Amino acid sequence: MVNQILRKQKKSEIVQIYCTDNIKKYLQETTLHGLKYLADNSLTIWEKLFFFASFVAALVIVANLISNVYSKWDSTPVIIGISPHPTSILKVPFPAMTLCNMNQVLNSKVANYSEDSLEFDILRFLCFTETEYDDQLANKDNFKNNNLRITDFVIKHAQPCARMLIYCQISSIAYNCSELFREVMTDEGLCCVFNTLHPDFLYKGKYDIIKDLKDDKITKAVNWNPESGYPSKLPEKFYPRPASGTGVSMGVSVILNAELDEYYCSSTNGPGIKISLHNPIETPSVKEAGLTVPLGYETRFRIDAIRSEAVTAIRSIHRNRRQCVFMNEERLLYYKYYTRRNCESECQAAYLYQQCSCIPFNYPLIYNNATICTVKESFCINKANKEWTFVLADNLCLKRCLPGCFDLTFLPDSFSGPLAERNYTIQNSLLRSMPKDEMRKNIAIVHFYYRESVFHGDLKNVYIGLTEFLSNIGGIMGLFMGFSFISVAEIVYFSILRPVFKFVLPRKFQNVSLKKNVQTNPETKT
């Protein structure tokens, strides 16, 4: 028993002595600055304390600087710069444009409806502001039992695109407007849209096409999105169409007839046309973000494209940190392609359906079994829309609607000038044959064109990558402490490998080593 205790004490003393010698040897041979002085027996204790304090001070400074580098790397993982590679306007679609007459319905079609008819209730919904609704109106039998769909009424009574668009031109070539524009329902009523993606490429669920494009059997619909662009093989004529060049002659020009005599009620405080320029894969909010075009004027929209891009390297960064979403990272219910606006539109549609058990005509049908709201649900929809503004901050659905890593938007500048007031010759033959009073009263001429032939996008890139992060840390530690990769190897060797070789390896390997030493040094045997 005593021998066992003595043997354990002897082993502990051997380990302690070995650890002390190992630490001293590490201090003598390490590449870290200042530590070798701690193992120098020729120095006094005060000199050793000086170098030890210097090493600790350097260690504290290094820790503080590294924490700053890490904080910067963690808080700002992505930097937005200017793309070094310009994008040609020939490689992206011309802006999709939605044109809407501010007149909601034609006067000749609705003038005969009496005030106690179901149709007149729809006119109240379309023509009066929300502040003019009250509980008494909502409790009337005509409203409570009115199952008419607003979309059906508007389609039947609003001005069709064939009457509003009387002349269309692309790159100085005249086209039949029905070959370019499709009728759609928006929050501004019945509108005409140009250069959007074909609905088969745009929507997952069912959709109502009021009037599809006229089939010219030459122009083919192709798929496009901001991330992958156009397909590699394209037909000779296709849409969404790219631009042909810059300037008015290479842009899109339309002549619009608002038919002022047919005005029944306006969505604003006067007559005119509302226009929205948007991404071909989005449904615009014309009512909230549309630009107005006055009648009796020629208006030019000079367009600048704004493109967002991202490098592949930022995919490894969590979406909440990089604050953008790639196309394949977020699946929407109704739209095939993700954009922030499409995502927000679906979130609001889900909220309205939760509140009113139907979806308004100007929102995506995110559920297959959902019905489009009728007149009797209009009060519920108006109330839910008002409440929506108060739940924006806490809405979980909206929190996932981050901007797209790849996106395409358009920024127009508009300039207007009055049409001819005197009897002098003008260029367009259609307008020459039109009375000047009629032209100033009903006609609006609009030109859309690019300002520049190329544009530079905003490029999202890694702000501090792994290489830059290691370089910053290595530079700081090398400057203050002489730290390098070999320093890590030294720490691993003296803290792990050397003790393992000394105490953990099997005894037979130690015996083999001892025999070799005896054979090479025969004097030690005697």
Side-chain angles (χ1 to χ4, degrees), residues 180-461:
L180 305 178
F181 286 85
R182 173 189 292 119
E183 291 183 343
V184 293
M185 284 295 298
T186 70
D187 54 356
E188 192 68 20
L190 182 63
C191 300
C192 312
V193 63
F194 164 78
N195 217 37
T196 59
L197 221 60
H198 191 278
D200 289 342
F201 298 129
L202 190 57
Y203 306 123
K204 293 179 180 178
K206 61 182 180 180
Y207 52 85
D208 292 329
I209 297 299
I210 301 169
K211 184 180 179 182
D212 207 348
L213 293 179
K214 181 180 179 181
D215 185 13
D216 59 5
K217 298 181 180 180
I218 298 176
T219 305
K220 306 298 181 183
V222 298
N223 203 355
W224 176 88
N225 67 76
E227 188 167 333
S228 58
Y230 282 113
S232 56
K233 294 183 179 180
L234 291 169
E236 183 178 355
K237 292 185 178 182
F238 59 90
Y239 74 92
R241 306 164 183 256
S244 301
T246 59
V248 176
S249 61
M250 291 290 109
V252 177
S253 299
V254 294
I255 299 179
L256 306 165
N257 186 355
E259 296 185 322
L260 197 61
D261 290 338
E262 285 282 8
Y263 262 58
Y264 180 82
C265 66
S266 174
S267 61
T268 60
N269 295 320
I273 307 295
K274 260 190 181 179
I275 294 177
S276 176
L277 302 181
H278 53 94
N279 193 318
I281 63 174
E282 287 183 335
T283 301
S285 176
V286 185
K287 183 177 181 180
E288 300 295 337
L291 304 174
T292 58
V293 175
L295 301 180
Y297 283 80
E298 184 173 14
T299 304
R300 297 171 182 243
F301 285 95
R302 190 173 60 190
I303 303 167
D304 290 317
I306 302 175
R307 178 178 169 85
S308 297
E309 307 173 37
V311 298
T312 308
I314 71 171
R315 281 184 177 270
S316 59
I317 303 173
H318 193 273
R319 56 189 289 179
N320 290 333
R321 295 183 63 225
R322 63 172 129 94
Q323 285 295 296
C324 74
V325 177
F326 287 92
M327 286 285 180
N328 61 349
E329 290 181 329
E330 186 67 43
R331 301 293 182 184
L332 300 179
L333 296 174
Y334 185 69
Y335 296 101
K336 289 185 178 180
Y337 291 118
Y338 176 89
T339 68
R340 186 172 191 171
R341 164 152 183 77
N342 288 347
C343 180
E344 291 175 345
S345 180
E346 287 196 0
C347 290
Q348 189 168 0
Y351 177 79
L352 296 176
Y353 183 79
Q354 180 183 2
Q355 300 297 317
C356 304
S357 301
C358 66
I359 296 179
F361 64 89
N362 56 309
Y363 285 90
L365 290 173
I366 55 177
Y367 307 124
N368 292 329
N369 59 346
T371 58
I372 298 178
C373 297
T374 60
V375 176
K376 66 179 181 181
E377 288 95 12
S378 60
F379 284 94
C380 178
I381 294 299
N382 287 335
K383 181 181 178 182
N385 276 323
K386 291 178 182 179
E387 295 173 349
W388 172 252
T389 58
F390 298 101
V391 302
L392 291 178
D394 300 326
N395 190 278
L396 296 177
C397 179
L398 285 177
K399 290 182 179 180
R400 66 182 178 89
C401 295
L402 298 174
C405 293
F406 286 82
D407 198 7
L408 183 65
T409 56
F410 302 96
L411 184 64
D413 289 330
S414 62
F415 309 89
S416 297
L419 296 178
E421 295 183 359
R422 297 178 182 272
N423 292 323
Y424 52 82
T425 304
I426 56 179
Q427 288 187 347
N428 190 279
S429 59
L430 177 65
L431 297 179
R432 277 203 303 267
S433 61
M434 187 180 297
K436 295 295 185 292
D437 292 340
E438 174 72 13
M439 186 170 61
R440 291 193 304 271
K441 177 181 177 182
N442 293 317
I443 299 300
I445 304 175
V446 190
H447 306 281
F448 305 90
Y449 61 96
Y450 277 118
R451 181 204 302 262
E452 303 288 347
S453 60
V454 297
F455 58 93
H456 289 268
D458 296 332
L459 181 64
K460 298 179 180 66
N461 205 341

Side-chain angles (χ1 to χ4, degrees), residues 33-35 38 48-64 480-481:
H33 296 167
L35 291 181
L38 301 181
K48 292 182 179 180
L49 288 175
F50 170 76
F51 283 107
F52 179 74
S54 300
F55 180 80
V56 172
L59 191 63
V60 171
I61 294 173
V62 165
N64 183 55
F480 286 90
M481 303 173 62

Side-chain angles (χ1 to χ4, degrees), residues 500-515:
V500 167
F501 293 151
K502 180 69 176 176
F503 297 106
V504 180
L505 286 179
R507 185 175 296 277
K508 62 180 180 179
F509 291 106
Q510 295 183 9
N511 293 336
V512 171
S513 179
L514 180 60
K515 289 179 181 180

